[in-house]
Amino acid sequence: MSFTSGGAFDGGPDTVARMLNDPNDIQYMTEDGGVDAGVHGRDSDGNFYVVLESPLYYEETTGLAFSPDGRHMFVSYQKNGILLDVWREDGLPFSGRTVDIKYHSTVNGDII
């Protein structure tokens, strides 16, 4: 299955990370290029979603890491030289139960 067959993920996967002790078992991925490169995720049920994208910064997102308490996600836009510290507005860790995410539908394993 390809992560780049459609939907919002228009670049190839680059950095892949998981959080320890995440009950949602989400696999986070940065994007190796693309129009609006960002951070995307896939859970154990096969749902795909966008964590962040930027219409201002482009090219490759890289360096994905999480703080030990899971409340901060660090990611950089390589060509732009920007390092972001991302957190949830509700103060919960990224492994928290309530996440305001945009899911992408799949048909026969392909993102649409």
Side-chain angles (χ1 to χ4, degrees):
M1 174 194 302
S2 171
F3 292 110
T4 61
S5 62
F9 200 86
D10 63 352
D14 192 15
T15 307
V16 177
R18 289 182 189 255
M19 291 182 61
L20 296 176
N21 304 315
D22 180 1
N24 301 310
D25 196 28
I26 297 173
Q27 180 177 355
Y28 295 89
M29 297 156 280
T30 61
E31 217 168 345
D32 190 10
V35 176
D36 50 5
V39 178
H40 302 269
R42 180 179 181 196
D43 65 19
S44 58
D45 293 328
N47 296 310
F48 294 89
Y49 54 93
V50 176
V51 178
L52 68 87
E53 288 183 326
S54 174
L56 302 176
Y57 306 120
Y58 56 93
E59 299 294 333
E60 181 176 0
T61 49
T62 188
L64 182 63
F66 293 93
S67 64
D69 65 2
R71 295 179 190 278
H72 294 265
M73 176 177 63
F74 305 100
V75 64
S76 65
Y77 281 86
Q78 184 171 347
K79 185 173 182 176
N80 303 101
I82 304 293
L83 176 63
L84 303 176
D85 177 356
V86 181
W87 62 89
R88 290 177 45 159
E89 289 182 347
D90 59 13
L92 293 174
F94 279 87
S95 61
R97 293 187 308 151
T98 304
V99 181
D100 182 18
I101 55 179
K102 180 174 102 179
Y103 285 96
H104 299 282
S105 299
T106 59
V107 173
N108 298 326
D110 292 329
I111 302 172
I112 58 171

